[in-house]
Amino acid sequence: MLLEQLINGITLGSVYAIVALGYTLVFGVLGIINMAHGEIFMFGAFMGVVTTSMLHAPIWLAFLAAIAATAMMGYLLERLALRPLRGKPGVSHLAPLISTIGVSILLENLANQWFGSGNHPFRSRFAEIHFTVGDVTVYFVQIVIFVISVVLMVGLSLWLAKTKAGKALRATAEDLDTASLLGIDTKKMITITVIVASAMGGVAGILVGMAFNSVNAQMGLSVGLKGLAIIILGGMGSVKGAVVGGMILGLSETFIVVAGFSGYRDAIAFVMIIIILLIRPEGLFGKRASDARG
C-alpha cells in the first residue's frame, strides 16, 4: 500500500539523515569528508548484534555499548589519523581524506576478520513489536527511528545555537585560528565533534540492524557513500540539509522499488541527486560561493 511504502521511505530516510548528520558535523568543523564514518556506523551495528544476539542483553544496553564503542573509535580517529596531519607544514589538504580512507579499509578488514563476511541476524524482541491500522502494519522500531532522527536534528541545532560549547564549536568551524586567539580550546572542540559524530553513527548502526534484521561487514561502504551524497544534496555543513536530503533519498529509493525498478534503486536515486545539483550546485540549504565570501 502507498501509506505503508511511505512509512518505509521515511524510516529509511531517517536512518540516512542520522548518518549524514555525522558527516555534516565533521565537515562543518574540519572541512574534510570523514570516509571512515560508514565503517564506524557498521561497527555500531555489530555492537548491537554482539550485545543482543550473542550476550542476550537488553536493547538499551546495546545502544550504550554502541555509543561507547563508536565514541572511542571517533576519539582514536581524531588523535591518531587526523590531528597529526592538521596544520603540519608541507602536508597536502587531501592528506586527512586519504587518512580516513585508510582507516575505513582497516575497519572493514577488522570486521571481516572478527565477524566474517556473511550476514548476521539482529535478534531483538523490541524490533518485532508492531500494530496494525486497517491494512497498514507499522513496526514500533520505525516510529523510534523517526523520533530519534528528529530529536537528534532539533537537539543538535539547539546545542549549536544556544549552548556555550555549541557556539565555541561554530566559532571553531568559522575560523580555527581566530577561535584559538579568542581563547577557545579548538583541539578539544574538534575532538568532541568527531566523538559526537561517531556516536551518532553508532546509534544509526543499531537502528539499521533492528529495522532490517541484517548486519554485515560491507554495509558501511554503501551507507557511507549515501550519507556523503546526502550532505552534498542538502548543502555541505547544513544540519537541516542533512535531514531533508536523507528523507528525499530514502523516499526516492522506496518508491523506485515500488515502481518495479529495484535493480536500479541506487542508480536512479543518485541520478536524481545529480539533476538537483545541476539546478542548485550548492545543495538545497547550502550557501552560494558568492554569499559565503560576502
Side-chain angles (χ1 to χ4, degrees):
M1 288 186 64
L2 180 63
L3 184 57
E4 200 162 285
Q5 296 305 328
L6 182 63
I7 294 171
N8 291 336
I10 291 174
T11 303
L12 186 60
S14 299
V15 171
Y16 288 160
I18 298 173
V19 175
L21 282 174
Y23 276 110
T24 296
L25 264 182
V26 173
F27 182 84
V29 174
L30 290 175
I32 65 168
I33 301 293
N34 176 16
M35 295 301 292
H37 191 66
E39 279 63 35
I40 291 174
F41 154 88
M42 174 265 294
F43 261 88
F46 268 114
M47 289 307 299
V49 172
V50 170
T51 308
T52 60
S53 298
M54 298 181 182
L55 301 179
H56 305 291
I59 189 66
W60 62 267
L61 196 58
F63 273 101
L64 291 181
I67 289 171
T70 52
M72 179 56 70
M73 292 171 74
Y75 173 77
L76 293 175
L77 172 72
E78 199 281 325
R79 280 298 277 117
L80 302 179
L82 297 178
R83 188 180 297 184
L85 300 173
R86 193 162 56 246
K88 192 172 183 179
V91 172
S92 166
H93 67 284
L94 291 176
L97 176 68
I98 303 302
S99 181
T100 59
I101 290 175
V103 173
S104 73
I105 294 171
L106 172 65
L107 292 178
E108 184 175 339
N109 287 344
L110 285 175
N112 272 317
Q113 288 294 322
W114 292 346
F115 306 112
S117 57
N119 289 323
H120 296 259
F122 193 115
R123 296 189 180 90
S124 170
R125 281 182 293 180
F126 177 78
E128 297 170 2
I129 301 173
H130 66 277
F131 56 90
T132 303
V133 181
D135 295 331
V136 179
T137 300
V138 181
Y139 284 86
F140 188 62
V141 68
Q142 293 178 311
I143 298 173
V144 170
I145 289 173
F146 177 72
V147 170
I148 286 179
S149 71
V150 172
V151 167
L152 284 177
M153 183 193 73
V154 174
L156 193 58
S157 298
L158 290 176
W159 182 66
L160 289 172
K162 303 294 183 183
T163 68
K164 186 177 178 181
K167 291 175 182 176
L169 193 148
R170 285 166 53 208
T172 304
E174 193 70 28
D175 192 313
L176 198 67
D177 295 331
T178 304
S180 183
L181 289 173
L182 290 172
I184 296 172
D185 188 342
T186 54
K187 287 183 180 178
K188 181 181 175 183
M189 296 312 302
I190 290 171
T191 303
I192 290 174
T193 300
V194 180
I195 288 174
V196 170
S198 299
M200 290 172 69
V203 171
I206 291 275
L207 295 175
V208 166
M210 285 196 300
F212 300 102
N213 193 28
S214 179
V215 174
N216 62 64
Q218 293 75 42
M219 65 190 292
L221 177 61
S222 173
V223 173
L225 288 176
K226 288 177 181 177
L228 181 58
I230 289 165
I231 65 167
I232 295 172
L233 171 65
M236 303 293 277
S238 168
V239 172
K240 189 190 299 180
V243 175
V244 174
M247 288 295 175
I248 290 175
L249 186 61
L251 288 168
S252 301
E253 287 190 2
T254 301
F255 283 105
I256 286 167
V257 172
V258 173
F261 301 102
S262 59
Y264 299 97
R265 185 182 72 173
D266 292 340
I268 293 176
F270 274 85
V271 166
M272 187 198 69
I273 290 175
I274 291 170
I275 292 171
I276 292 175
L277 292 180
L278 286 174
I279 300 169
R280 190 175 169 81
E282 67 275 18
L284 296 175
F285 295 93
K287 295 179 181 177
R288 293 179 184 276
S290 56
D291 295 340
R293 285 194 296 269

